[in-house]
Structures are given as structure tokens and as C-alpha cells.
Amino acid sequence: MTDRLGGRLADAGRLPDDYVADADPLVRVMAGVRRRRRRNRLRAAAATGLAAALAVAALTVPRPWSGGGDGDVTVPVPAPETPGSPRPATPAPPGAISGTASFGPWWVGASECRERDPGDPLSERRLIAWPPVGAVPTGEEVPPEQDRWKANVRCLLAHANTSRGDITFFEDPALPLTFADGTAFTGYRPTPDQGEFVLYGIAPAGAAKAEIRVDDAVVATADTAAAPEAAGMNFFALLLDAPAGASVTVQGFAANGAPVGRARTQDVMPGTFPGVGDPKAEAAAWAEEQEQERQIADVPVCPETLPGPRTCRVPGRLGMIDRPLGSEGITRADAEAILASPDDFGARGSRSQAIEGDHGFGRLA
Amino acid sequence: MDATEQEEFAEFTRGRWTALTAFAHSLVHDVGRAEDLVQEALVRLWKVWPKLRTEQPEAYIRRILVNLAISSGRRRWWGERATAKMPDIAVDGPGGQVEDRDIMRRALAGLSARQRVVVVLRYAHDLPETEVAELLGCSVGTVKTHASRGLEALRSSGVLGPDEGPPGGRPDPGERVMAVLPRPRPQSASRRDRGGAA
């Protein structure tokens, strides 16, 4: 009885009786439109002029921090971003803790993370890590960016060579010690067994070192670095090679070895959190997606105007359109509207979900 | 976009928000997520509104919603979880309808996003296969495949009685099956879905 099935399905999908829509949903929609415009503008700027500007800024801004060595640095000017090419590495700002891993260079720096101040030339430099994809992984579903800026909490800027962009990691004032993990891998399920992670965080005031335990064994101790831009702020960053599913605990220590603040434990390493499937299935899915992407790369691009092929793709979008036999095809504009962009979902593509997902918020409990 | 077009978009948004949210909710069974999808779909519609406003924006946005419902199913932070364990079947009684609704939702959550969307469109919204194919931007054969496998999964989970739904059977092998979005769920069905040509 199809009717009975339909009735049950319809009942299961019915909106709750007490559902109340927004007073004016247009406000919400237009906020989304503005966010998208802003993101697109900033992305375009980051791909061209801003890349050069920040390189110049990095060369000319004094180096007030103790970390990172002395003297001038030579900063390569990143090449403009082109569709399909890896995102150019952002040069490390002065004072950042940096290193090189198997996946390439990484760095973590500190910032006040306040809104841009037109009268403050240094505020330009704080914008170089935009967009704060770590704090706003989708740009749509999380608390408004402005609220976060206005909260004026401290934050770190993190960069891993393979992530789509640089990450703004906001501390969680409710926690005694916050840390986030950046993974080197591209993809939503990057490592089924073992991997390198950039572990970084804000240490409590007075902490000279951060001790890192993996599954209850001390594996590293990192010196904290002062961040003059944010008074009294110490932060740490290090590269960690850890197994999937490991429990990571970070504890701050004073110079005399006394513990500072409470230890903080992250139960599961990034990229290995319990997901929709077991790690092997996730790894297989990831491999399959990669294979599909290779196949789709051979599909023709959707045309600007009709007629066009029944099957086509849009560069920079996920998937492809495959119209039924006899259909007239689809224009590129229509296909763009239907196909998701990696930025919309952030679950795959050239992004690292672990670095741009939950961990960027410091939601570690 | 001129003032008239903006006003028309505003009117469309305000007038259709609840209906679209209800439609999205039928696909994802989560109010917050349904609203997110509608918002995202309207943001995309805004971009092409001047061109589409005199055509069929409703059909267009539903198509976006359907594809968003499928592709967003992979988003971890929305907390979607596939489950292999089904709850006990509800018995008739004072809360029977609520329990049945919950059981059905859980069963649907166990399907792949694409299967779920196809099953809901096909049987809850009673859309013909050709229309579902048009909404998903895929072939009728693909729709048949997903509908058949979705129902099969619901039956095997014990949610559907033997007399519910159309009789099971193999999907029409005449058309090529091709993924619209390369987002297989980490379940065994996803690999079959992609290569079902005959």
C-alpha cells in the first residue's frame, strides 16, 4: 500500500506543530547574501592584490616579538590563486611559531583579532589571515562573525600549507586552557591510522611550557611564546605525530615546573572523530571521492548558454550535472546554483575539516 | 537588481519561507537544518533572481533544496548519523503515532541522503519518477535505483510492513546511473550507486 507508506513518510517529515518562522526571513536571507558577497570579495582580494600587500606589510612591519628570530626576513610573494591550484602559502607573520612538516610549512601566530581599525596601519596586518574559516567554517551556520569579533576574545592565527586558508582560532574564555589541532591532511577523513597534526593553543597566564600527553604518555613539551599584541597572552604550537583516536591532554607549567591551570583533554584527535562510519569505510569513501573527482575532471564544462551537453561540470564546484536523456542541457549559471561549492560545505575538497571544523572554536569538551 | 526585482524577491521570500521550510524539513527532518537549507537556497536564488523571477522560481528553488539536502547530508557538524540499529517497533497506544513518526525518522536517517530524498519525494510527495529525476538532475533509472534500494533498506529494518509500498524489484537497467554529486556515504550502497550501468 503505497498510500499508507506515503502517509507515514509525510507524517515523519511534517514540521512540528509549534514551528514558528522568523518574523522576517528576508533579514536572514539578506545576511547570507551579504556574507557571501563579502567572502567572495575577500577571496578575490586575497588571490590578487592582498597577497602582494601582505607580503609588503610583513617586510615593513617591525618585529616586536621575541620569537621567530631577528633581522629581516625574505618573504616570497604568493602567486595569484587560480582555480584548481593549491592555495598559496601565507608567509608567517613576525613572532609566529613555525615549522615544516611532511605536508609543508606551517605557522601559528597571535593576534588581538579585533576588527579592522582604519586608523591603525597595523590592523591591516591582522587581516591577512582572513577569511577566518576556522572560526566560521561555513560562513552560514555559525554565530555571526561580527559577534565574535565584538566579543574581543584573544585568538591565534594558524596556517597549514594544505588547508584552504588560514585559520583564526578564538579562545574559549570558559576554559582554563584552550587548544586546537590542525591537521595536515586535505579531506574530511584524512587519516585512518596515524598522522601529523599541528597542535596549538593559548596557555594560561604564567605558563612557560605546555606539556602534551598522548594517551597518557608525555610526548612533547613546548615552550610558550609571548604575544605582545595581546597583553599577557602566551601561546604554544608544535607538530605532533599521533595515532588516530588518541586522547590528547595539554597542561600548562610555570618555569619552576609548577602546574598552571587545569589540564585540558581532547578525547579524539582531529580527523578521527566518530563519524558516519568506521575509519576504514571513511578512508574508502575518501578514496572513492578522489576517484570520482578525477573522473569528473574529464566532463565538459557547462556552457554559458544553451544548448549544451547533458552532462557537464562547473570548475570549483562539487559534482556534476547529469540531465535525463532528451533534455536540453543546463547553463553554467543554473549549474552553479545547484552544485555545492567546497566553501558551502567544507566537508571535502581541498579543505582540512579538522582544522576548519569544530576544533577552530575550541569546543573541546 | 533594481528596486522592483528586490521587492519581488522579498515578497517571494516572505511568502514562501514556511512552505519551503516544510519542504526542506520533509527531506532532512530537522527544523534548524531545514531553515539553513532554505536560507542557502534563497541566497543562491538571489543571485539569479532577475533572470528567473518571471519563470518558475519555486521549481528552481526546490531543485536547489533537493540537491542541498543530498549534499549537505555529509556535513559532519550537522550531526547526521547513520544508524544500523533500529529501535523496537512501536505498539499501538496513546503515543503510537509519535513513536511511529520517530521510528520512521530513524529509519530514514539510516538511508543514504540520496536514497532518503528520493524515497520522500517519490512516496511522501507522490512525485512521478520523471519529476524526481528532474529535481535531482539525474536520470529516471537513477531514481528507480535509489527508490528501490531505499525501500529495500526500510523493509529490511522492519519499519515497513510487507504490504506497504510498491513491490520490490530490480531497478530499470536501461539507463546509465551517474552520481549528481560525488559524495558517497561511507556505506556499501554508495559504490553500487555509481556504477549501476547495465
Side-chain angles (χ1 to χ4, degrees):
Chain A
M1 293 288 191
T2 307
D3 287 350
R4 183 166 173 233
L5 167 64
R8 291 180 67 195
L9 288 168
D11 183 57
R14 191 165 292 128
L15 271 175
D17 294 337
D18 57 353
Y19 171 72
V20 179
D22 289 359
D24 187 357
L26 183 67
V27 174
R28 176 174 176 164
V29 172
M30 295 315 295
V33 170
R34 284 191 294 274
R35 268 200 297 273
R36 173 154 298 192
R37 282 178 178 166
R38 184 182 180 193
R39 197 170 57 194
N40 290 341
R41 278 199 304 269
L42 288 164
R43 188 175 301 134
T48 53
L50 190 60
L54 71 88
V56 171
L59 282 169
T60 55
V61 168
R63 298 168 62 89
W65 297 357
S66 57
D70 297 320
D72 292 337
V73 293
T74 302
V75 181
V77 178
E81 188 175 21
T82 56
S85 68
R87 191 179 186 84
T90 308
I97 299 173
S98 61
T100 301
S102 60
F103 50 87
W106 61 270
W107 57 258
V108 177
S111 168
E112 289 177 291
C113 297
R114 287 184 177 146
E115 274 192 286
R116 177 177 178 169
D117 178 2
D120 177 9
L122 284 181
S123 70
E124 295 285 344
R125 190 159 60 88
R126 288 198 288 270
L127 286 177
I128 64 174
W130 195 271
V133 285
V136 190
T138 69
E140 306 291 341
E141 284 79 27
V142 293
E145 303 156 31
Q146 291 301 317
D147 289 352
R148 201 161 276 280
W149 291 114
K150 285 174 183 172
N152 198 24
V153 297
R154 302 172 301 182
C155 71
L156 298 177
L157 310 177
H159 172 88
N161 194 42
T162 49
S163 66
R164 191 185 64 80
D166 302 332
I167 311 305
T168 300
F169 166 63
F170 293 88
E171 72 168 341
D172 184 341
L175 299 176
L177 176 83
T178 57
F179 65 91
D181 337 66
T183 174
F185 300 91
T186 57
Y188 72 100
R189 193 62 49 171
T191 170
D193 297 317
Q194 179 104 5
E196 285 181 322
F197 303 92
V198 179
L199 185 70
Y200 56 94
I202 299 172
K209 295 181 183 300
E211 181 186 84
I212 289 85
R213 291 173 173 265
V214 175
D215 288 339
D216 291 332
V218 177
V219 296
T221 302
D223 292 336
T224 61
E229 276 196 350
M233 174 171 158
N234 293 332
F235 71 102
F236 64 91
L238 77 162
L239 188 70
L240 194 63
D241 192 356
S247 173
V248 177
T249 301
V250 180
Q251 169 72 62
F253 285 94
N256 63 5
V260 178
R262 285 163 37 205
R264 190 74 199 157
T265 298
Q266 165 75 30
D267 288 335
V268 182
M269 285 299 284
T272 60
F273 36 76
V276 293
D278 66 80
K280 285 183 179 176
E282 297 280 6
W286 170 244
E288 187 169 355
E289 287 186 359
Q290 296 295 295
E291 175 58 26
Q292 285 191 322
E293 286 195 343
R294 279 191 286 274
Q295 292 177 6
I296 288 174
D298 296 331
V299 171
V301 173
C302 296
E304 298 291 342
T305 56
L306 295 176
R310 281 195 311 111
T311 303
C312 63
R313 67 181 171 88
V314 176
R317 297 277 170 163
L318 302 177
M320 63 181 176
I321 299 291
D322 181 32
R323 304 294 303 276
L325 287 170
S327 62
E328 62 176 356
I330 188 167
T331 63
R332 179 167 175 154
D334 288 348
E336 275 182 355
I338 293 169
L339 295 175
S341 87
D343 297 323
D344 290 332
F345 299 118
R348 52 189 296 274
S350 60
R351 305 181 68 176
S352 160
Q353 172 133 341
I355 209 170
E356 297 174 0
D358 292 343
H359 303 278
F361 290 103
R363 295 185 306 200
L364 304 173
Chain B
M1 192 183 295
D2 62 31
T4 304
E5 291 167 340
Q6 288 185 32
E7 188 53 42
E8 287 173 351
F9 180 81
E11 193 177 323
F12 179 84
T13 298
R14 290 172 179 138
R16 301 302 303 155
W17 176 268
T18 301
L20 291 170
T21 303
F23 178 70
H25 186 269
S26 72
L27 303 176
V28 299
H29 299 160
D30 181 282
V31 173
R33 195 175 147 197
E35 288 185 326
D36 286 345
L37 294 186
V38 174
Q39 179 192 6
E40 171 65 19
L42 285 165
V43 167
R44 295 184 187 194
L45 181 65
W46 165 267
K47 189 177 171 185
V48 293
W49 179 256
K51 195 178 71 172
L52 288 181
R53 65 190 177 91
T54 57
E55 297 179 14
Q56 293 181 313
E58 178 85 12
Y60 185 82
I61 199 167
R62 283 179 184 254
R63 187 170 176 186
I64 297 175
L65 279 173
V66 165
N67 283 279
L68 284 174
I70 293 172
S71 54
S72 68
R74 299 194 58 77
R75 301 182 70 175
R76 182 171 63 82
W77 50 81
W78 268 336
E80 185 174 84
R81 295 286 184 270
T83 175
K85 184 181 177 185
M86 291 303 305
D88 295 335
I89 300 300
V91 296
D92 289 339
Q97 190 178 4
V98 175
E99 284 185 52
D100 182 63
R101 183 184 305 156
D102 188 47
I103 288 169
M104 180 60 81
R105 285 181 179 174
R106 291 191 199 191
L108 287 167
L111 305 183
S112 74
R114 204 170 299 149
Q115 284 176 355
R116 180 171 63 249
V117 165
V118 167
V119 166
V120 169
L121 291 175
R122 184 75 184 87
Y123 301 111
H125 293 276
D126 203 23
L127 298 182
E129 286 165 344
T130 50
E131 205 166 322
V132 177
E134 177 68 20
L135 275 170
L136 267 70
C138 67
S139 68
V140 173
T142 305
V143 171
K144 289 178 178 176
T145 300
H146 288 309
S148 171
R149 288 178 180 158
L151 288 179
E152 201 175 299
L154 292 178
R155 282 201 183 92
S156 64
S157 67
V159 168
L160 294 190
D163 60 338
E164 280 189 281
R170 302 301 304 164
D172 178 3
E175 292 196 56
R176 187 180 178 205
V177 177
M178 184 175 286
V180 177
L181 293 167
R183 298 177 172 218
R185 293 182 67 82
Q187 296 171 349
S188 57
S190 61
R191 190 172 294 277
R192 293 199 306 271
D193 291 348
R194 188 165 56 86

